[in-house]
Amino acid sequence: MTARRAWEPPFIQPHRHDVSPFGRRGVDDDIQGAIAGVDIETLIDRWGSPLFVASEGRLRENVRRIREAFASRYPDVVHGWSYKTNYLGAICRILHQEGSWAEVVSAFEYEKARALGVPGPRILFNGPHKPRAILERASAEGARLHVDHLDELATIESIARDRGTVIPVTLRLNFDTGHTEPWSRFGFNIESGQAYEAAVRVKASPHLVLTGLHSHIGTFILEPRAYGEQVRRMAGFMAELEGEGHDAITSLDIGGGLPSRNALQGIYLPPEQAVPSIDSYAVAVCGALERAFADRPRERWPTLIFESGRAVVDDAVSLVASVVGTKRLPDGRRAVVLDAGVNSMLTALWYDHPVRLTRPVPGAPEETVLYGPLCMNIDVMRRQVRLPPLAVGDRLVFNPAGAYNNTQWMQFIEYRPAVALVGEDGGHSLIRAAETLEDVCRPERMPAHLQTGDGTR
Amino acid sequence: MSTGTQRVLGELLAVGRLQAFAVSAKGFAFDPRTGQSFSINETGVRTLELLVETGDVARAVERLAADCEVPAEVVEGAVTAFVHQLGRYLA
Ligand SMILES: Cc1ncc(COP(=O)(O)O)c(C=O)c1O
């Protein structure tokens, strides 16, 4: 019994057969002591645990590589950064510096993009809820309005009429690609004729002009051919409208949905095997565009816009969490309580995030459950992962953790943790401070009749 | 030591089940009869060795308690549970 940490009763655990025999069960590649070259303990000393850590180098590299996959195969390509995926100001600023436009879906996100200095014409405004006030502002600032329903179209038309102008619009489309579950609640459906009707409404209005088509076929799409089919359907609809004398469509926006190297629950292959390369998506999209537009001159090829979110940011951000307690469950499984749970990393509800230790830990690995700090049964970070016996203070690094966590995280029971950025020069800085009692309580107001008394009566 | 525990061990040894159990030093174990694989922790690997070697629960407990510097009563309870687990999984 060498390297024994503490007495542990002898224990045997059968392996469950619904667990992949491939990589998934191990502590993936075992040990990770640093993030983007910076020692993790140094970061935790500075900003505490749990801590999100973003790598600027990785983020820039990702967006360049993904854009290049498309831009090397099609003449005119724009990436719209999907704000909802991660709208921390520093993250958005880095991506805008790389040339990405902003893709926003609410008044809040629109205002945030403008506050970060993004000009209106470089904002793609999606989303089913755009109140009149924000539509007035966005149209005046030249933002691209992606229309979700007829009531919105009527509001935009009335704004244009009041101003005596013409407002260009993009119609959001939905249809069945045959490869993915159709997201039919957004935009106008092609098969039922709604999309065609909407286009006719636009054409009939002296205050509107249709310049673009948009669709978003879903998220974490593991089948590149779904995008080929999407492009084919969109180009077909475009040709139909043009054939009937509608104005020229100048942009096709294929939305987001490219998968990141994360492990979706229920998919037993590890991400390296389950997730196709970005190039295979670009080949499907650009090949379909080329086939669709083969007989029109290049200057009439529409701009290709894509709104990739998770593929750009997911693996550029890690979450470091610390062990605060260990236990043996009644069924014999080993369990660990961490200081970060689904309150900080909501995506643990649908991903088995790859997790690594920050240093070697002696002892035989065993199937272990990782719990968060909440007093809720669903607060599970990993339902099963093979780990050596951990002790209080040991750290775990979850990566990818950059998509939909710094936006969907909850201030529930615990404070939201800090987010640090490791720069390309290895310098590190805070991009969002850990929440304090003051932050959480700032919007609250105490009615006059409750203002006295300290709770002891 | 309960005679029940010694009986479970005796039965597993008599049919060669424990001896046939392939256990790596890392705690990966494989039952060639059923194809079922297991994880065994470090104490478990050592306990299994002692059970096969001595064929006797009480002696295994004694040796383990000495090795681990833990009171024999603590070790006895844990080894009893372990032997019953083995009995269940390998039966
Ligand atoms: C309209 C639109 N564009 C882009 C995205 C980004 O998706 P992803 O992160 O899967 O690339 C979404 C996500 O739901 C979306 O609804």
Side-chain angles (χ1 to χ4, degrees):
Chain A
M1 300 292 294
T2 50
R4 179 168 47 83
R5 292 184 127 200
W7 158 256
E8 227 211 3
F11 180 73
I12 177 169
Q13 180 183 44
H15 293 154
R16 282 171 32 189
H17 286 297
D18 58 349
V19 172
S20 164
F22 304 104
R24 185 78 73 83
R25 62 172 8 128
V27 178
D28 319 77
D29 297 338
D30 295 313
I31 308 299
Q32 182 185 350
I35 294 174
V38 178
D39 177 55
I40 288 174
E41 287 310 307
T42 306
L43 296 168
I44 297 286
D45 276 352
R46 209 164 157 197
W47 291 298
S49 172
L51 181 69
F52 280 97
V53 184
S55 159
E56 180 172 353
R58 174 56 74 91
L59 186 60
R60 290 188 188 275
E61 207 177 286
N62 284 353
V63 73
R64 285 175 198 169
R65 178 175 45 82
I66 296 172
R67 185 186 297 104
E68 191 53 25
F70 290 90
S72 63
R73 296 179 168 93
Y74 192 76
D76 184 10
V77 177
V78 166
H79 173 241
W81 168 237
S82 159
Y83 264 42
K84 69 186 105 33
T85 312
N86 191 323
Y87 42 58
L88 291 173
I91 300 286
C92 297
R93 179 62 57 74
I94 290 168
L95 293 169
H96 295 318
Q97 283 182 352
E98 292 294 331
S100 297
W101 294 12
E103 186 269 330
V104 304
V105 292
S106 67
F108 156 68
E109 288 190 356
Y110 184 85
E111 286 164 8
K112 181 140 194 184
R114 291 289 295 125
L116 285 168
V118 184
R122 292 167 77 97
I123 300 180
L124 309 164
F125 200 168
N126 283 308
H129 177 217
K130 307 184 192 78
R132 184 176 177 111
I134 198 69
L135 283 171
E136 283 174 355
R137 175 175 176 189
S139 57
E141 292 175 344
R144 293 172 166 247
L145 306 181
H146 292 193
V147 183
D148 184 72
H149 47 75
L150 287 177
D151 295 298
E152 184 181 319
L153 194 63
T155 307
I156 297 169
E157 186 180 17
S158 118
I159 292 169
R161 192 183 310 112
D162 291 352
R163 284 199 197 124
T165 54
V166 176
I167 297 180
V169 294
T170 287
L171 288 183
R172 178 161 179 167
L173 307 174
N174 71 67
F175 44 85
D176 187 0
T177 63
H179 291 281
T180 54
E181 186 65 27
W183 280 27
S184 53
R185 57 170 284 191
F186 300 109
F188 302 93
N189 181 258
I190 290 189
E191 290 92 350
S192 69
Q194 283 173 356
Y196 182 76
E197 259 173 63
V200 168
R201 286 252 330 236
V202 172
K203 186 165 179 248
S205 168
H207 297 290
L208 298 171
V209 58
L210 181 63
T211 57
L213 298 176
H214 171 276
S215 77
H216 172 76
I217 55 174
T219 196
F220 213 90
I221 306 286
L222 290 171
E223 178 50 82
R225 284 177 302 178
Y227 286 95
E229 182 58 16
Q230 175 194 28
V231 166
R232 199 182 69 78
R233 299 293 302 273
M234 292 178 79
F237 186 66
M238 172 174 157
E240 183 186 342
L241 297 183
E242 288 180 353
E244 294 179 12
H246 287 248
D247 289 304
I249 304 282
T250 56
S251 63
L252 284 189
D253 183 334
I254 60 168
L258 301 179
S260 58
R261 291 280 161 108
N262 218 326
L264 213 50
Q265 289 171 8
I267 290 181
Y268 292 126
L269 289 174
E272 310 76 63
Q273 293 176 41
V275 178
S277 70
I278 293 295
D279 279 304
S280 55
Y281 293 90
V283 166
V285 167
C286 301
L289 286 168
E290 212 157 299
R291 281 190 294 280
F293 302 130
D295 47 11
R296 67 171 75 196
R298 286 255 161 165
E299 56 289 358
R300 285 189 47 232
W301 286 24
T303 301
L304 169 66
I305 304 176
F306 72 107
E307 304 170 346
S308 191
R310 68 181 70 241
V312 172
V313 77
D314 212 4
D315 69 0
V317 182
S318 306
L319 171 64
V320 183
S322 306
V323 174
V324 298
T326 60
K327 50 176 73 173
R328 191 55 91 178
L329 299 177
D331 65 5
R333 279 176 305 157
R334 187 186 271 159
V336 165
V337 184
L338 300 174
D339 58 2
V342 298
N343 53 318
S344 300
M345 197 170 76
L346 192 74
T347 52
L349 295 178
W350 54 90
Y351 286 134
D352 287 333
H353 290 270
V355 58
R356 292 183 182 82
L357 290 160
T358 58
R359 59 187 181 81
V361 170
E366 245 184 77
E367 301 300 338
T368 305
V369 195
L370 303 181
Y371 290 124
L374 308 182
C375 35
M376 275 167 57
N377 221 16
I378 61 158
D379 189 23
V380 180
M381 294 289 267
R382 282 292 298 265
R383 296 165 301 171
Q384 186 175 33
V385 59
R386 242 167 108 73
L387 286 170
L390 300 182
V392 170
D394 283 338
R395 316 250 191 245
L396 290 173
V397 185
F398 295 88
N399 177 285
Y404 299 98
N405 285 315
N406 300 138
T407 48
Q408 294 193 52
W409 52 3
M410 294 176 271
Q411 192 281 303
F412 176 54
I413 299 180
E414 298 272 342
Y415 296 117
R416 278 179 278 214
V419 185
L421 178 76
V422 176
E424 288 184 293
D425 59 357
H428 29 101
S429 36
L430 200 61
I431 60 173
R432 194 180 197 271
E435 269 174 354
T436 62
L437 181 66
E438 201 192 357
D439 295 327
V440 176
C441 297
R442 190 178 300 124
E444 292 189 26
R445 302 289 180 271
M446 192 67 79
H449 72 286
L450 298 177
Q451 280 184 358
T452 53
D454 59 2
T456 60
R457 305 211 80 200
Chain B
M1 182 57 53
S2 90
T3 52
T5 311
Q6 182 58 43
R7 199 182 62 239
V8 172
L9 176 63
E11 280 166 11
L12 288 172
L13 290 170
V15 293
R17 303 281 290 122
L18 282 194
Q19 298 88 325
F21 204 43
V23 184
S24 81
K26 276 272 180 198
F28 182 86
F30 181 72
D31 180 353
R33 197 182 57 126
T34 59
Q36 172 72 52
S37 58
F38 301 84
S39 294
I40 306 188
N41 67 357
E42 240 179 303
T43 325
V45 174
R46 178 70 183 134
T47 308
L48 205 54
E49 280 169 13
L50 289 170
L51 290 171
V52 173
E53 190 185 314
T54 63
D56 185 272
V57 178
R59 284 187 42 215
V61 167
E62 219 170 86
R63 298 260 303 267
L64 202 56
D67 280 2
C68 302
E69 298 165 32
V70 176
E73 311 82 79
V74 174
V75 175
E76 184 182 325
V79 170
T80 299
F82 184 65
V83 170
H84 284 284
Q85 259 194 318
L86 290 173
R88 255 195 334 274
Y89 294 143
L90 301 184

